[in-house]
Amino acid sequence: DMKELLEELIKKSLDDLYRNDKDLIERRVAERNLTGLFAYYFRINMQNTDVADYNVDCEYNRDGYGTKNIDGVLVYPDFILHKRGTNDDNLLIIEFKTWWNPNNHDDIEKLREMMSDTHPYKYKYGYSVILNKENSEIIDMDNFSE
């Protein structure tokens, strides 16, 4: 099913990131750098799957030609899998945090809002990913409760 496919792609892409770029995680490079590398691996891994025709974007702040915002505040999701120009195919949103800045409380709130029926975005699946030194922690918003 779609959720299993997405989780498999997330895990495989994180494995690629840790295998090829672990030194960057250890050296505490900018979160944006790590997110961009994750997106690069994700794009490769999604070829010849059911999501091959979706767009991968990082820090994407557009809603059509306007800006993405929640209650008047601009939002820049770390990673999204969607079809550009419409909110009908917002499939996946991921927010990343790093081991030296692991507080994901604001990210959890952003994910909840971006997945909510009260906003136009309505992402179907959402995850908070914490990039630890040795491995990642993946939090599924469907199963998350504080």
Side-chain angles (χ1 to χ4, degrees):
D1 86 329
M2 182 59 72
K3 183 170 184 153
E4 285 175 18
L5 169 63
L6 293 173
E7 289 183 355
E8 180 184 318
L9 289 170
I10 292 167
K11 287 177 181 143
K12 191 171 189 321
S13 302
L14 286 167
D15 287 347
D16 292 342
L17 179 68
Y18 276 86
R19 183 172 52 257
N20 300 319
D21 304 295
K22 189 169 176 230
D23 63 313
L24 296 176
I25 296 167
E26 291 167 352
R27 284 192 272 151
R28 299 166 55 144
V29 300
E31 177 189 296
R32 288 182 307 279
N33 181 234
L34 299 171
T35 302
L37 287 165
F38 170 85
Y40 167 77
Y41 297 125
F42 194 98
R43 188 171 288 157
I44 292 169
N45 292 327
M46 70 188 248
Q47 299 312 310
N48 303 312
T49 72
D50 289 345
V51 295
D53 61 335
Y54 279 76
N55 301 115
V56 167
D57 284 301
C58 296
E59 302 287 331
Y60 191 79
N61 68 338
R62 294 286 119 187
D63 181 9
Y65 287 94
T67 54
K68 248 187 208 356
N69 69 78
I70 295 174
D71 302 329
V73 178
L74 284 177
V75 288
Y76 302 81
D78 290 341
F79 173 96
I80 55 175
L81 184 66
H82 66 139
K83 292 192 176 166
R84 294 181 190 135
T86 175
N87 281 319
D88 296 336
D89 288 299
N90 288 339
L91 191 58
L92 172 65
I93 181 169
I94 304 174
E95 288 294 325
F96 287 85
K97 281 291 181 238
T98 50
W99 60 271
W100 61 93
N101 182 25
N103 182 352
N104 65 353
H105 176 54
D106 289 348
D107 284 355
I108 297 291
E109 286 308 305
K110 184 196 290 188
L111 289 165
R112 280 193 174 131
E113 293 287 330
M114 297 296 278
M115 295 172 73
S116 162
D117 286 340
T118 62
H119 294 288
Y121 312 117
K122 297 180 183 65
Y123 283 88
K124 190 160 184 181
Y125 303 103
Y127 297 86
S128 171
V129 173
I130 298 174
L131 299 171
N132 294 312
K133 276 189 190 179
E134 298 299 322
N135 53 33
S136 57
E137 180 184 347
I138 304 169
I139 300 158
D140 178 353
M141 291 303 296
D142 283 346
N143 303 325
F144 182 79
S145 59
E146 286 187 282

